[in-house]
Amino acid sequence: MVLLNELRLSGLLRSLTPRRVGNIVKTSTSFFISALLNKPVVWGAPPVLTIEPTNQCNLHCPLCITGSGEMERTSGRMSLETFQKIIEHMGKDIFFMLIYHQGEPYINKNFFKFVEIAKHNNIYVTTSTNGHYFTDQNITKTLDCGLDSMIISLDGTTQESYEKYRVGGQLERVLDGTARLIAEKKRRKMRTPNVVFQFLVMKHNEKEIPEVKKIVDQLGVDRLLIKNIEVRSLSEAQEWLPTKNKFRRYDFDGKKYVVKGIDKKSCTRPWLSTLINWDGTFVPCCFDKNAEHPMGDVHKLSDLNDMWLGNSMTDFRTQLLQNRQSIDICRNCNQGLGSFLPSRLWRRRKETNKSNPDLIQIS
């Protein structure tokens, strides 16, 4: 079994149809042409889609805008009608769907139906959960709905360590629920969903990685993902960033922090994917947590191109290509690719950015 993070390669390949393969070729090609020309060229429709089933959560994680109470959007849960409308507009071209964003997916009672509908349309589906809702009934529904893979957050190996970040959480509840899920999956002789633990490395838990690896082996979890954390202020960096540089997404000297790879010029996401919040609002990607860059509303579309080729999305792509660091949600992101321009011009670009430290430094 070949895994890409939590994703099962064979499952992804099975979700590809001739139309979807052609769409991926078109969207990818248009991205590379856009990067070369430094102006947006867009072909096809997004092959990857993130759905937010809800922006509500049962925990209070301090670095999460939902958990910390910094969510500025109205809270709610996606309706079945909204999801069906999304599938009507995009289902034929999407091959990969992530059903999670700023909240706990299992809180939405329609979550399992969302997965069923997506699987009926031969779309690979993954989710991410804090693992507190694995009742016997939900375990049965999780296995029955056809979910391909799932991430379960496990950021500590003792209750004290775990609840320092997962405030309000119960480690034993997560471990017990995961064990019962895997046991039932084995009893049924099912290959899916792939069950993956995600461990966010922070100052207080970075020494627990060997122990969490033991837990993975003991429970029979398919894989462990070691992830770095996102911070948004110097005080958060000082409190939460791990001491070992290899576990940080930032260069940090104690007084300022800079995103590693901040000089990446291009980002594929506005060409290959989009995100729809629980209320049907389109945003460019998962870094737009408070929907500060709304691109459209699925309820108001007559055709997907109303959004995908609309003025708001075109302006966003143009700004990203010409000055990525002028976009607020891009400044704390290390995703993307380097320049497609000749190296002489790229060096000049980097020197220009260095002359304005506000564009590359967060403090």
Side-chain angles (χ1 to χ4, degrees):
M1 179 172 62
V2 180
L3 295 182
L4 305 172
N5 289 331
E6 86 279 13
L7 310 178
R8 196 155 164 262
L9 182 59
S10 59
L12 285 169
L13 293 176
R14 279 197 298 271
S15 70
L16 293 174
T17 63
R19 172 172 174 155
R20 289 171 179 172
V21 171
N23 182 57
I24 292 170
V25 171
K26 286 191 288 186
T27 53
S28 300
T29 301
S30 68
F31 163 71
F32 283 108
I33 292 175
S34 299
L36 283 167
L37 298 179
N38 207 33
K39 66 178 182 179
V41 174
V42 183
W43 299 327
V48 178
L49 176 64
T50 299
I51 296 289
E52 180 185 68
T54 181
N55 60 352
Q56 300 168 338
C57 191
N58 55 307
L59 301 185
H60 302 281
C61 307
L63 298 181
C64 169
I65 66 168
T66 298
S68 64
E70 298 176 49
M71 175 66 66
E72 297 174 0
R73 294 188 279 125
T74 302
S75 65
R77 305 173 189 184
M78 181 174 285
S79 69
L80 190 57
E81 291 74 20
T82 297
F83 188 84
Q84 288 171 329
K85 187 170 287 290
I86 292 167
I87 293 297
E88 289 173 10
H89 282 294
M90 307 177 69
K92 292 181 180 179
D93 293 306
I94 299 164
F95 83 102
F96 174 35
M97 180 180 290
L98 303 88
I99 306 185
Y100 65 94
H101 183 36
Q102 292 299 311
E104 169 53 48
Y106 278 75
I107 286 178
N108 190 328
K109 66 180 181 180
N110 293 313
F111 169 72
F112 303 107
K113 191 64 177 178
F114 293 167
V115 179
E116 288 178 7
I117 293 171
K119 293 308 299 175
H120 181 73
N121 286 269
N122 191 31
I123 299 170
Y124 186 101
V125 183
T126 190
T127 194
S128 181
T129 175
N130 60 45
H132 282 73
Y133 288 88
F134 291 146
T135 61
D136 290 342
Q137 183 181 37
N138 281 345
I139 287 174
T140 297
K141 290 181 177 180
T142 298
L143 297 176
D144 288 347
C145 70
L147 185 68
D148 291 290
S149 55
M150 66 190 314
I151 295 170
I152 302 172
S153 298
L154 188 78
D155 308 317
T157 58
T158 67
Q159 177 60 26
E160 179 182 8
S161 174
Y162 177 80
E163 68 180 347
K164 181 175 175 61
Y165 183 69
R166 298 286 166 180
V167 178
Q170 296 294 322
L171 176 62
E172 283 304 315
R173 185 172 177 178
V174 177
L175 296 178
D176 175 71
T178 302
R180 288 186 292 106
L181 172 65
I182 292 173
E184 181 63 14
K185 175 184 162 185
K186 289 181 178 178
R187 189 189 71 79
R188 296 192 188 191
K189 298 181 181 180
M190 296 178 65
R191 300 180 67 184
T192 58
N194 293 326
V195 179
V196 175
F197 273 162
Q198 177 174 279
F199 187 85
L200 296 178
V201 185
M202 293 168 273
K203 184 184 294 185
H204 69 279
N205 69 4
E206 61 184 310
K207 294 181 180 179
E208 298 177 25
I209 293 177
E211 187 62 29
V212 80
K213 290 180 178 178
K214 293 179 183 178
I215 294 175
V216 166
D217 292 338
Q218 290 168 359
L219 293 181
V221 172
D222 292 302
R223 188 171 184 180
L224 172 65
L225 301 179
I226 305 295
K227 294 286 188 175
N228 51 43
I229 60 169
E230 176 188 348
V231 296
R232 292 162 294 156
S233 68
L234 180 59
S235 61
E236 287 183 348
Q238 292 169 335
E239 180 177 0
W240 296 99
L241 287 184
T243 59
K244 292 185 178 179
N245 184 59
K246 68 178 181 178
F247 295 133
R248 300 175 185 160
R249 66 186 295 171
Y250 308 92
D251 291 318
F252 178 55
D253 63 6
K255 296 181 180 179
K256 64 178 183 298
Y257 65 103
V258 179
V259 179
K260 295 176 181 177
I262 191 68
D263 57 357
K264 291 177 180 177
K265 178 179 181 291
S266 302
C267 179
T268 61
R269 293 190 180 191
W271 280 262
L272 301 182
S273 67
T274 190
L275 187 153
I276 304 179
N277 288 320
W278 72 266
D279 60 356
T281 304
F282 287 90
V283 294
C285 76
C286 61
F287 275 83
D288 192 1
K289 299 176 175 62
N290 262 317
E292 296 172 352
H293 300 270
M295 298 293 159
D297 187 327
V298 71
H299 302 102
K300 300 177 182 179
L301 296 184
S302 58
D303 183 270
L304 177 64
N305 285 339
D306 295 346
M307 182 281 297
W308 194 238
L309 301 179
N311 292 335
S312 295
M313 201 67 193
T314 299
D315 291 345
F316 185 87
R317 294 188 185 104
T318 300
Q319 187 177 359
L320 186 150
L321 289 167
Q322 296 179 356
N323 189 356
R324 180 178 176 179
Q325 291 307 307
S326 68
I327 303 175
D328 52 356
I329 62 172
C330 296
R331 295 188 196 120
N332 204 16
C333 175
N334 61 355
Q335 303 296 309
L337 301 172
S339 175
F340 293 84
L341 298 172
S343 59
R344 177 178 60 83
L345 295 178
W346 179 229
R347 284 196 299 270
R348 182 182 301 169
R349 170 84 177 198
K350 289 174 69 175
E351 289 168 1
T352 300
N353 280 347
K354 287 180 180 179
S355 69
N356 187 352
D358 291 337
L359 292 182
I360 61 172
Q361 179 175 303
I362 308 173
S363 59

